[in-house]
């Protein structure tokens, strides 16, 4: 029997390095948007560690689900995009 051990900080370090490489290809900094159900905290952490200006956005998926009949409408955070999305480079983060 094998065992798989995940190191969350090591995985985050790999993600941060990949994001730094990705950002080198942009002429203007991208806008980070986190999915409210899991990626919002990750987008906020990346925003700080990458020293990006402004705030992250939050995208709620509650109105975009197809299982309302079995699950009901989820109460949760609303979509908040504190920047102009027209012409912006968006990177959406989920857990």
């Amino acid at each position: 029997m094998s065992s798989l051990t995940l190191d969350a900080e090591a995985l985050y370090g790999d993600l941060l390095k990949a994001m730094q490489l990705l950002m080198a290809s942009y002429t203007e900094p991208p806008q980070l948007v986190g999915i409210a159900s899991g990626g919002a905290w990750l987008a906020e952490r990346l925003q700080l560690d990458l020293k990006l200006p402004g705030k992250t956005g939050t995208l709620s998926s509650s109105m975009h689900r197809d299982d309302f009949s079995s699950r009901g409408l989820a109460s949760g955070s609303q979509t908040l995009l504190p920047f102009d999305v027209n012409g912006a480079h968006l990177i959406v983060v989920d857990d």
Side-chain angles (χ1 to χ4, degrees):
M1 174 178 268
S2 67
S3 163
L4 175 64
T5 302
L6 296 177
D7 180 343
E9 285 301 316
L11 290 170
Y12 177 77
D14 291 343
L15 174 62
L16 183 60
K17 287 176 192 172
M19 288 292 295
Q20 290 167 332
L21 290 172
L22 178 65
M23 287 188 48
S25 66
Y26 288 105
T27 55
E28 300 216 5
Q31 300 290 337
L32 298 182
V33 178
I35 302 296
S37 62
W41 68 271
L42 186 55
E44 289 173 1
R45 184 170 175 190
L46 285 167
Q47 182 88 4
L48 290 173
D49 290 345
L50 293 169
K51 297 177 179 51
L52 293 172
K55 294 185 175 188
T56 61
T58 303
L59 184 64
S60 172
S61 62
S62 64
M63 296 300 291
H64 306 284
R65 297 187 59 104
D66 61 358
D67 59 355
F68 292 126
S69 62
S70 63
R71 197 178 151 212
L73 187 60
S75 64
S77 65
Q78 296 181 351
T79 294
L80 174 63
L81 300 173
F83 44 78
D84 186 6
V85 297
N86 293 314
H89 295 282
L90 302 177
I91 297 176
V92 179
V93 182
D94 196 5
D95 64 346

